Amino acid sequence: MSEHVLAVGEALVDEVHRPDGTSAEHPGGSVANVALTLGRLGREVRLATWLGSDARGDLVRGWLAESQVVPVEGSDGAERTSVALATLDDAGSATYDFDLTWQVPAGALPGAGADEAPLAVHTGSIAAMLEPGATQVREVLEAARAASTTTYDPNARPAIMGEPDDVRPRVEALVELSDVVKVSDEDLAWLYPGSDPVAVARDWQRGTPALVVVTFGGKGAVAVSDAGEVEAVAPRVEVVDTVGAGDSFMGALIDGLWEHDLLGAARREALNAVDADTVGQLLERCVAVAAITVSRAGANPPRRQEVGL
C-alpha cells in the first residue's frame, strides 16, 4: 500500500455570479475540492482529472499545487478546461450550468502501470455520470476494491445528469461499489422524491457500504452504520456561500477515517465494525470543516491548524 488517497474526477473553473451583479472565477470541481480538502488537512493526495493546457487549466493547477494536490500523469489532456457557471441566491446557495468534457487520464486506469495502490479511491458527482469518463470511473472503482477503501458522493447536478429515473440506477450501482458514501438530503430528494433521506441511507447501508452519511446543510448530518444512527449538529456560522461545503465535508470524512486507521482493503472488516463513538467523532470533524468552508467565498476549505486537529 501507498500512504495516499487517489481522487478521480472533475477539476474546473467555477464562474460565480452573485445576487449583487458581481462575478468572479474560482478553481473548483466536486472531486477536486475533496482532494484540495485532504491536501489542506495534511494528507498526500493525487487527483486524476481532465484539464486543458490553457489559462484556466493553469489557474486550476496552481490552485491544486498550493494545497499539495498532485495531478496524475495525463491529467492535462483535455482540449479545454471545463467551466461551471454558478449562480448564487440571497442565501448563498448555488445553482449550476456547465460547459465541460470528462474522461479518466490513462495513468489512472486499471492496468496502466500506476503507482502502488492507494489507501482509498474517491469519486463522485459529474465524473461518475458523464461519459466517456463515467464508464472508466466504474472500472477504476471495481479494480480499486481489491486493495483500497472506495468512497463516493453522488453530488447530483440535474442540469447535466438527466432525469432522476435514468440516474438513480447508475448511482445505486456506484453505491454498491463503495465502502463509504456521503450524500446530501437535496440529492436524495431529487433521486427519490418524497422519500425519507435517512430511510434511503439505511437501504443503501444494507448493501456494500459500511457507512452512509446524509448531510442536511446547516442542520448537520446523520450517519448510518451497523452500529446504528449517529447525528451531529452543524456549528452556527454566518454563511457567505455554500460552494464546496459538501466536498469539504467529504474530504474531512476521508481524513477522519485515515486518522482512525480505517482506510485500505485490509481494514475493511474494522470499518464494517466501526462503533458509534468513532462515527460521532468523524461527524464532528466533518461539520467543523464544512462550517469553516461556508463562512468564506468559493471552495476554500480550511487548513488543519484552522480546525484545531
Side-chain angles (χ1 to χ4, degrees):
M1 297 295 295
S2 177
E3 294 285 309
H4 75 280
V5 169
L6 174 66
V8 183
E10 71 277 5
L12 45 76
V13 169
D14 285 319
E15 185 179 319
V16 181
H17 291 252
R18 300 184 179 280
D20 63 4
T22 60
S23 63
E25 290 193 349
H26 305 281
S30 177
V31 175
N33 289 335
V34 174
L36 191 87
T37 302
L38 282 162
R40 291 190 176 186
L41 292 176
R43 301 301 188 179
E44 183 178 340
V45 58
R46 301 171 196 173
L47 175 65
T49 193
W50 197 237
L51 296 169
S53 298
D54 51 23
R56 281 175 165 156
D58 290 342
L59 178 65
V60 174
R61 281 184 284 270
W63 171 72
L64 294 171
E66 288 173 356
S67 297
Q68 290 73 53
V69 177
V70 179
V72 168
E73 184 176 356
S75 292
D76 57 355
E79 290 186 3
R80 68 184 186 282
T81 298
S82 297
V83 178
L85 176 63
T87 302
L88 302 179
D89 62 19
D90 290 334
S93 295
T95 56
Y96 291 88
D97 291 307
F98 299 90
D99 173 21
L100 58 85
T101 59
W102 159 247
Q103 67 185 66
V104 177
L109 292 170
D115 293 341
E116 290 182 69
L119 286 170
V121 175
H122 172 74
T123 193
S125 198
I126 297 165
M129 293 293 137
L130 184 66
E131 297 293 0
T135 296
Q136 298 168 331
V137 165
R138 287 192 290 277
E139 292 173 357
V140 171
L141 275 193
E142 288 168 355
R145 287 191 57 78
S148 310
T149 299
T150 51
T151 69
Y152 172 55
D153 177 2
N155 201 359
R157 296 290 183 249
I160 61 169
M161 287 185 179
E163 295 300 316
D165 286 347
D166 297 325
V167 175
R168 191 182 308 114
R170 300 170 69 188
V171 167
E172 291 172 347
L174 290 165
V175 168
E176 282 300 301
L177 288 172
S178 302
D179 295 299
V180 177
V181 178
K182 193 281 289 181
V183 62
S184 72
D185 61 330
E186 292 179 347
D187 287 346
L188 292 176
W190 181 68
L191 287 166
Y192 303 91
S195 296
D196 174 4
V198 177
V200 175
R202 292 189 201 107
D203 288 341
W204 284 4
Q205 197 272 329
R206 290 187 190 103
T208 302
L211 182 66
V212 178
V213 179
V214 183
T215 58
F216 293 87
K219 295 180 180 179
V222 174
V224 180
S225 70
D226 284 351
E229 295 170 20
V230 178
E231 181 177 356
V233 178
R236 298 191 62 159
V237 296
E238 183 175 346
V239 176
V240 174
D241 67 48
T242 62
V243 176
D247 303 323
S248 65
F249 186 108
M250 184 74 239
L253 181 57
I254 297 170
D255 173 69
L257 292 166
W258 197 333
E259 186 79 16
H260 286 275
D261 189 26
L262 293 172
L263 293 183
R267 299 295 294 157
R268 187 165 284 136
E269 185 176 344
L271 177 59
N272 278 295
V274 66
D275 60 79
D277 285 345
T278 300
V279 174
Q281 293 172 38
L282 293 171
L283 290 189
E284 290 298 331
R285 174 187 302 247
C286 293
V287 296
V289 168
I292 294 173
T293 303
V294 302
S295 72
R296 46 205 194 187
N300 187 11
R303 298 185 184 274
R304 198 169 197 86
Q305 60 267 29
E306 296 179 79
V307 194
L309 297 177

